[in-house]
């Protein structure tokens, strides 16, 4: 017995958002919400770089990395949830979006 038939017997069917989800302008615009933390981390990294006092290079690198990762999340979220979504089809961008967002939030 396969796992999917076992879950179906229990009434725990697989997540089927691909059958209902469709591109919507607000979904594309919601990806821009990740731009605020990207801009904040970039501003802090720039201020740390620009200051004349001694700063911890590890902390500066982390702020720059977080700014870069959040910019990547903005782009990948927009591509996965708005540009390349079609009803009834899964996009590879969705998998990349989840992985990049997970990595960003762990860092």
């Amino acid at each position: 017995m396969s796992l999917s038939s076992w879950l179906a017997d229990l009434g725990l069917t697989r997540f089927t958002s691909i059958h209902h989800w469709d591109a919507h302008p607000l979904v594309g615009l919601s990806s821009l919400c990740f731009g605020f933390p990207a801009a904040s981390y970039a501003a802090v990294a720039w201020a740390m770089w620009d200051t004349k006092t001694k700063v911890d290079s590890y902390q500066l690198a982390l702020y720059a990395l977080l700014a870069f990762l959040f910019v990547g999340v903005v782009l990948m979220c927009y591509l996965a949830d708005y540009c390349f979504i079609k009803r009834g089809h899964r996009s590879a961008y969705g998998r990349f979006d989840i992985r990049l967002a997970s990595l960003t939030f762990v860092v």
Side-chain angles (χ1 to χ4, degrees):
M1 177 182 261
S2 70
L3 179 63
S4 60
S5 63
W6 182 73
L7 290 174
D9 289 343
L10 288 175
L12 303 171
T13 57
R14 295 190 68 169
F15 189 62
T16 58
S17 66
I18 61 168
H19 301 295
H20 311 290
W21 196 265
D22 205 8
H24 191 274
L26 290 180
V27 174
L29 289 175
S30 70
S31 67
L32 294 177
C33 292
F34 292 112
F36 294 114
S40 299
Y41 285 124
V44 170
W46 180 262
M48 289 174 67
W49 177 266
D50 197 38
T51 187
K52 305 297 184 218
T53 61
K54 175 92 169 106
V55 295
D56 187 15
S57 60
Y58 177 72
Q59 189 176 11
L60 175 63
L62 281 178
Y63 276 112
L65 176 67
L66 280 169
F68 179 74
L69 285 173
F70 270 105
V71 168
V73 167
V74 169
L75 294 174
M76 196 58 69
C77 182
Y78 178 74
L79 290 174
D81 294 340
Y82 186 71
C83 290
F84 295 111
I85 193 163
K86 287 176 22 180
R87 189 174 299 214
H89 297 283
R90 288 189 181 258
S91 171
Y93 284 100
R95 285 189 289 270
F96 296 141
D97 178 38
I98 294 297
R99 289 179 183 147
L100 181 62
S102 299
L103 174 70
T104 302
F105 297 133
V106 166
V107 170

